[in-house]
Amino acid sequence: MDARYVEYLGVPHYTFLIVYTLAALSVLALLYGLSKTYRGVGLLAVTKQGVRRLDKSLRFVAEFLSHYRFLSRQVFGGTVHLLLIVGLGISLIGTIIVSVVHYTGVEYGGLFFLVMRFLLDVAAVFIIYGSLAGIYRVYAGRERYGKLANQYILVLLGFLAIAVTGMIMRRYRVDYYLGGPSPWSPLSYLVPPVTHEVYLAAYFVHIAVAFALIAVSPLVMLRHMYLAYANYLLVDRPLGELTTPFELEKVMESGEAEITVGVKKKGEWRGIHGIMFDACTRCSRCQDVCPAFAAKRPLSPMSLITKIAEAKNDADLFEVGITEDEVWACTTCGACMYQCPVYIRHVDYIVDLRRALVFESKVDQKKADLLMSVSQYHNTLMQANVGRHDWLRELGVKHISENPQAEYLLWVGCMGSFDGRAREIVKAFVKILEKAGMLDKVAVLGDEETCCGDPVRRLGEESRFQELVLNNKQIFEKYGVKKLVTICPHGYNTFKNEYPRFGVKLEVYHHVEVLQRLVEEGKITVRGSLESLTIHDPCYLSRHNKVVEPQRKIVVKLGALKEPPRHGERTFCCGAGGANYWYDVPEEKRISHIRFEELAGTGAETIVTQCPFCNAMLTEAKRAKDSAVNVKDIAEVVAEKLA
């Protein structure tokens, strides 16, 4: 039988007027809703940026279709979401085809028509299962979904109604098109024959619910679709770069007497940050990967975003449920942002709240000591900066003024300069450079080196951070520094991702990248062994900057690599980031201990680190647990195995 599509089959002649009216009303409501959803940003601005950055729009679509953010942590929830998307997507394609046929007059029949009949039945199964499973999931987790629970259930019931009525309509039509149940419409074997009256009822319920969902989508929980796109499109910063609330250099030039730093009220956030929190679906993926939450610290990223979203614009956030300990508990590891399927920047909100606390001097003694140390000593460890790198002279590393032709500035960092354990890492790296004949290619700043600014910025002291940036900028320009290598992922991230905004453009390398290149180019040779090794990936190296492969290419040459469950870009924090190394937060179990247990659980003899802070945190955990597992930086492991 040669089946052909028949427009408005079996419905009254005036049906097209109802369809056009509902379509027009739903589009108007959609545009109105989008204008509300994109308040402070503008629907037109989002549209223009979407066209201007078509490449980014396409990447968003590709990421969304891959669904990896949904599936990676919650297989059941991610699968339900994917089935709904696929089912609704097929239904939308079917509707678009019918619209094209209507306006162009092309014939819609034959094999293509039959295949679409089959796919629409598949879509119905996906939507029915997805809706029922989704309702179960929301009801079971209704405490987590809070005020959104009823919206979720009503929307899912709407999807269910669309699928069931569509199935009834196709059962009626299969008799006309194919003379009865057919393999091209498998569900027709399950649904009994449909009377004309039932068909009409199903038809009008179907279009009414579909247009209603389109109309209200920007104003109910479905708005996360539109906001996710805006969040992805309008934020052009890497995960490791924080917002810049002002530029100190311009403030000083303008002579502006006072500036307000930080945010305490929801209404004080502007632009995309004024609406980003509304995208939260309460899926808890951020909470599931949060090290602070795992350690039973007083922080859930999901809960914090929910409190902001539900607060009144003029309410003091610290008086409506957000606590200071909650804000200080974050390690800024970025796991929440990396995992969030709607691209919320949780850390941006946390740091803005910290900035407000610092601006009002609401910091405890340890945080105040850190700020004082940077202000008075120009480093974070309360050490006199004089003679900072004298010990490196004994190793043959010259000051940049003595070696102006040096290709790289070796940024030793506060830990590498003053901490005894971290100095051993620097010494191992220098030993390798000497072996490779590269010692003359590096130089240091000596007493002119100060803090890179990472801890004070993440603590919330933006002014002090920018003072450090401007000071370092002058020094880099003074010596013509073009390339920089550091042993610290925090400095690496700051120089690479945050300094460029202030006019500092450098080629920035982490020492593991240099080591890998030396091995690959044959400038150093390493001996393999039977030693089993596991890698702890620092958050600021692997997740924030996606440096994952160099360390693995090295380690597999040194021994047997045993990966922990959470590794690479999905690593688990050591607990030191976000300036947490310098202060304490209430917790049931130290984050570093959780991580050490996971790494030791691989059965490896040695934990390989690539960060002096990670090394310090995991070494403390090793001592606390009286473990025989070694904790060494990758430079130390390579230095030990030089051929």
Side-chain angles (χ1 to χ4, degrees), residues 249-318:
E249 199 168 25
K250 292 181 179 178
V251 171
M252 292 189 296
E253 289 173 358
S254 67
E256 191 174 345
E258 292 185 9
I259 56 171
T260 301
V261 184
V263 172
K264 290 185 69 177
K265 297 178 180 179
K266 173 182 171 180
E268 292 173 350
W269 274 297
R270 296 288 182 265
I272 189 63
H273 285 89
I275 60 174
M276 182 183 285
F277 40 71
D278 284 334
C280 181
T281 63
R282 316 299 192 265
C283 70
S284 83
R285 287 175 175 86
C286 58
Q287 177 178 285
D288 293 344
V289 297
C290 177
F293 187 80
K296 299 295 190 293
R297 288 185 174 190
L299 170 66
S300 155
M302 181 187 73
S303 176
L304 182 131
I305 293 298
T306 300
K307 291 173 187 176
I308 294 172
E310 294 180 354
K312 294 181 179 179
N313 280 343
D314 59 350
D316 186 323
L317 292 169
F318 290 105

Side-chain angles (χ1 to χ4, degrees), residues 24 151 251 294 307 364 483 556 568 620 637:
Q151 286 187 26
V251 171
K307 291 173 187 176
D364 61 24
K483 297 180 181 180
V556 294
E620 182 280 326
V637 180

